[in-house]
Amino acid sequence: MNGKVKHDFLWGTASAAYQCEGAWNEDGKGISTWDQFCHSDKNIKGLTGDVAVDFYHRYKEDIRLLKEGGHNTLRFSISWTRIIPDQSGKINQAGIDFYKNVIKECKANGIVPNVTLIHYDLPAWLENIGGYANPVFSDEFAKYCKVIFENFRDDIPMYVTINESTHNAYCSYLTGNYPPNVHDVQTLVQVCYNLVIANAKAICEFRKLNLKSKIGIVHTTNTVQILKDTPEYRIAQRRGDLFKNKWVTDPAILGKFPDDLFPLLIESGIDLSFVKEEDLEILKHNTIDFLGQNCYTRAVVKPYESGETNYYPNNVGAGQKTIEGYVVKGWFQTDVDPTTPKNAWSREIYPKTIYDMLMGIKKDYGDIPVYITENGHAMAEKPNENGEIIDDERIEFMKSYLEWLIKAENEGCNVKGYYAWSTTDCYSWINGYEKRYGLIYIDYENDLKRIPKKSYSWYRDFIKEHTEGK
Ligand code: BGP
């Protein structure tokens, strides 16, 4: 290990439209499912992304801070309802102009835009006719993506179709704490399927334009590990891997669902009559150029013991006792490694997972380019008496993950970039604003003032020290 990545490695941070933009109803924007949910009585905490951190009006300041922090890329998402506000399909020019300006600002500051087309914020009108569960979702998504590809062409060098389709589906259709707040396993499976098909249909539109840009999907591979090596544990591991990862990454990279997936689903009583031959044909021909990987932790599993299928996410509040994890009836359930530290939201901290994940991708999928599109540490933090945010805990987290990433790169994994989650502190879905991830602190009490944390300067120095030719 030489401790450095190649000179053209992308170093940056990531954000998402609903979590940072604000301006929820400005300049012709339509209503998304998150606008609708946050303004309803299902939103128990009452916090919304109406203003968020006001990236919509302050993007120039934020992009300047990124440049000063030594970054050469920014991952952000486009809000679908800023571009196509409602069911009529009419394009909102003000929405296009906003993102053109953001991209222009990125370019002027030497920042490569890496742009996600949907990061959870589905149009409300589409949600109200069944959302991801309605098969029309994949066609509507492809239509919207086509508008983006035609308007932005190669000005966006890296397109991401969908952010974390499975995490979104599990929270929305299993835990039921993301809109539309459903708990139904049959619908969940159909949603996951529709998201896989939507990715392929969007890529199909992209390929028609023969652009130079690349297209990928963002998944969160939780490398699935077991604490005992028995045949039963190994079966649970494979099933955990199917459920967590392979039903997204196999179709996206190999163009087909894993052979053992459908038989297992049928055995579990799932009705697969929604699967269509023509969809499977689309999958075959529309695979990704690169894989975005959000990497927070691994999944430790054991054979199924008891309980109904459910997901216990890490977004139900600091200090809660439930360890993040799954029960999938008859397949597997989460195991707990008592030796590893957990964060305040009971998520396991396990830095080697980034290395295991990259090695696993190399083993399963060869040299497909991989970008770590999110990695970060949540803290409930406050400035000290001098107004500084000394987030040594976050620095320790990032340093340990990055050392494992560099080791994997040096050992031949085709990892080409890293994005810390998140650019600034921002809205953390169900958690609201107390759960902070940013390298830049947002003072919510003081006009959303930006204050770079200690990790911001640390990251700048780390990039310099660990990139060839810097
Ligand atoms: C990922 C999402 C991000 C972000 C992050 C932290 O799953 O892509 O949008 O929110 O996780 O999660 P949370 O805010 O729930 O702690």
Side-chain angles (χ1 to χ4, degrees):
M1 172 173 166
N2 65 18
K4 289 183 189 241
V5 291
K6 295 185 189 65
H7 72 281
D8 57 353
F9 195 84
L10 291 183
W11 290 104
T13 56
S15 69
Y18 188 75
Q19 295 178 275
C20 73
E21 283 179 5
W24 74 286
N25 59 359
E26 275 182 49
D27 297 336
K29 180 182 166 293
I31 307 298
S32 79
T33 183
W34 276 87
D35 295 318
Q36 183 168 263
F37 164 75
C38 286
H39 290 171
S40 76
D41 53 15
K42 289 184 190 161
N43 179 14
I44 298 156
K45 286 193 179 169
L47 297 164
T48 73
D50 289 2
V51 178
V53 302
D54 199 25
F55 179 78
Y56 190 76
H57 298 109
R58 304 183 197 214
Y59 64 91
K60 288 193 181 171
E61 180 186 356
D62 289 350
I63 293 169
R64 179 180 54 75
L65 280 169
L66 300 184
K67 182 189 179 184
E68 289 168 9
H71 305 198
N72 58 7
T73 186
L74 168 66
R75 175 175 177 233
F76 61 92
S77 80
I78 290 183
S79 155
W80 182 339
T81 56
R82 245 184 235 298
I83 306 294
I84 305 177
D86 58 37
Q87 197 162 3
S88 72
K90 195 165 167 279
I91 296 169
N92 176 32
Q93 191 55 42
I96 304 260
D97 293 346
F98 168 65
Y99 294 108
K100 289 224 162 170
N101 289 337
V102 170
I103 289 161
K104 197 165 134 210
E105 201 61 26
C106 283
K107 293 207 170 148
N109 285 282
I111 303 282
V112 174
N114 176 343
V115 178
T116 303
L117 299 168
I118 186 166
H119 196 125
Y120 304 169
D121 49 352
L122 189 71
W125 70 263
L126 191 47
E127 183 77 277
N128 299 341
I129 58 163
Y132 303 109
N134 186 335
V136 301
F137 159 69
S138 57
D139 294 318
E140 290 299 330
F141 180 63
K143 267 194 240 164
Y144 149 67
C145 291
K146 182 169 182 268
V147 170
I148 301 291
F149 302 144
E150 285 175 349
N151 276 275
F152 293 88
R153 303 188 70 87
D154 288 321
D155 281 345
I156 295 178
M158 298 173 74
Y159 288 96
V160 162
T161 54
I162 301 170
N163 179 70
E164 287 194 11
S165 59
T166 39
H167 177 76
N168 189 30
Y170 300 154
C171 290
S172 303
Y173 291 90
L174 204 48
T175 312
N177 64 346
Y178 283 13
N181 310 97
V182 172
H183 173 86
D184 182 68
V185 180
Q186 171 69 36
T187 313
L188 170 80
V189 175
Q190 186 155 359
V191 163
C192 290
Y193 173 85
N194 288 346
L195 282 156
V196 164
I197 305 305
N199 173 62
K201 286 187 178 171
I203 294 175
C204 182
E205 291 303 330
F206 177 81
R207 300 283 179 229
K208 286 180 194 164
L209 298 181
N210 282 318
L211 303 176
K212 287 204 259 0
S213 312
K214 302 287 181 210
I215 193 158
I217 192 169
V218 163
H219 179 61
T220 180
T221 289
N222 293 131
T223 298
V224 180
Q225 300 191 330
I226 44 180
L227 302 175
K228 282 186 200 164
D229 192 14
T230 67
E232 293 76 20
Y233 270 71
R234 269 180 258 129
I235 291 170
Q237 185 178 29
R238 170 65 188 167
R239 291 177 172 193
D241 198 24
L242 279 176
F243 183 81
K244 280 297 302 161
N245 308 311
K246 292 294 192 286
W247 71 354
V248 177
T249 51
D250 271 17
I253 302 170
L254 307 176
K256 65 182 195 67
F257 285 102
D259 291 339
D260 47 349
L261 179 65
F262 288 178
L264 258 174
L265 287 169
I266 291 167
E267 208 181 286
S268 300
I270 302 294
D271 173 3
L272 291 182
S273 54
F274 55 80
V275 175
K276 291 203 225 97
E277 258 326 300
E278 67 204 68
D279 289 343
L280 303 182
E281 203 52 36
I282 291 170
L283 282 189
K284 263 193 219 161
H285 307 290
N286 295 288
T287 54
I288 52 175
D289 299 319
F290 67 87
L291 181 62
Q293 280 293 345
N294 292 352
C295 183
Y296 289 92
T297 189
R298 63 176 172 165
V300 184
V301 305
K302 61 183 175 184
Y304 172 75
E305 286 167 3
S306 61
E308 293 302 316
T309 298
N310 215 337
Y311 173 39
Y312 304 94
N314 81 323
N315 53 21
V316 278
Q320 49 98 19
K321 294 273 178 296
T322 316
I323 295 287
E324 179 174 44
Y326 300 84
V327 174
V328 178
K329 199 172 183 178
W331 289 31
F332 72 93
Q333 63 190 69
T334 292
D335 203 357
V336 178
D337 182 345
T339 66
T340 51
K342 318 284 179 292
N343 77 8
W345 284 261
S346 299
R347 175 170 276 182
E348 188 188 33
I349 299 173
Y350 187 73
K352 183 171 175 280
T353 193
I354 202 164
Y355 174 86
D356 293 338
M357 182 264 284
L358 289 166
M359 285 295 173
I361 287 166
K362 192 174 170 58
K363 179 174 145 284
D364 293 341
Y365 303 117
D367 285 333
I368 182 154
V370 181
Y371 296 83
I372 303 300
T373 35
E374 288 181 28
N375 169 244
H377 183 58
M379 291 167 71
E381 50 201 329
K382 284 203 169 70
N384 65 14
E385 59 285 358
N386 304 319
E388 304 153 330
I389 297 91
I390 309 296
D391 54 343
D392 288 326
E393 197 182 301
R394 177 171 295 105
I395 293 172
E396 193 44 47
F397 178 99
M398 287 176 67
K399 182 170 176 286
S400 55
Y401 276 71
L402 280 168
E403 281 170 357
W404 280 111
L405 176 149
I406 294 172
K407 181 172 157 61
E409 199 257 13
N410 291 179
E411 290 177 15
C413 288
N414 196 17
V415 54
K416 296 168 80 74
Y418 172 90
Y419 296 79
W421 181 267
S422 50
T423 306
T424 60
D425 293 334
C426 60
Y427 176 73
S428 167
W429 307 114
I430 299 300
N431 298 287
Y433 292 95
E434 284 157 25
K435 192 179 190 184
R436 293 171 183 267
Y437 283 93
L439 302 190
I440 298 168
Y441 184 85
I442 298 288
D443 187 346
Y444 294 105
E445 258 82 69
N446 188 11
D447 189 31
L448 304 174
K449 191 173 166 214
R450 276 69 172 141
I451 308 171
K453 301 179 188 177
K454 187 176 173 187
S455 55
Y456 168 88
S457 332
W458 171 85
Y459 188 43
R460 183 191 54 215
D461 297 343
F462 188 95
I463 294 170
K464 232 190 204 153
E465 279 163 32
H466 294 275
T467 316
E468 279 171 7
K470 283 235 180 202

